[in-house]
Every structure is written in C-alpha cells, then in structure tokens.
Amino acid sequence: MAEVKLGRIKAGSGKTFEVKWNQSDKIIYVDNYGWKNIGKASSAGEAMTKAEAWAYNK
C-alpha cells in the first residue's frame, strides 16, 4: 500500500485520531482501535476534510 500519514484530527468528544490516505486506491483510514476504512477521497485535503466530518460525533 502507498499509504501516507496525513496527521491527527480531534473529535467533538476531545479524542484524537490519526489519519492515513492510500494514494493508489484513494481510501481514507482512521485509527479507531485499529485502522478503519471510512471512505474514499481524491486528494489528501479531501481525505482530511472527510475524516474530520467522520470524527465530528465520535
């Protein structure tokens, strides 16, 4: 896999999650007690935006 670590995001609850994005298949992964596939994004910026939206209510 060609995963790139994009950084950390903060959820509404205050928890933090690490975000990775696979450049070849465009899948976004968030570390939530193991790496979870949360969807696809066409760019790293879009991946972070989608990850932040995913984490909003976590």
Side-chain angles (χ1 to χ4, degrees), residues 3-45:
E3 293 170 355
V4 177
K5 288 185 181 181
L6 299 180
R8 292 186 175 273
I9 53 172
K10 186 174 261 191
S13 66
K15 286 179 68 176
T16 59
F17 301 97
E18 190 165 338
V19 179
K20 289 198 284 190
W21 177 61
N22 188 313
Q23 293 176 306
S24 60
D25 63 13
K26 311 296 186 199
I27 296 176
I28 309 161
Y29 296 96
V30 175
D31 189 8
N32 184 23
Y33 305 107
W35 291 100
K36 178 179 175 80
N37 173 342
I38 63 162
K40 291 190 173 193
S42 59
S43 69

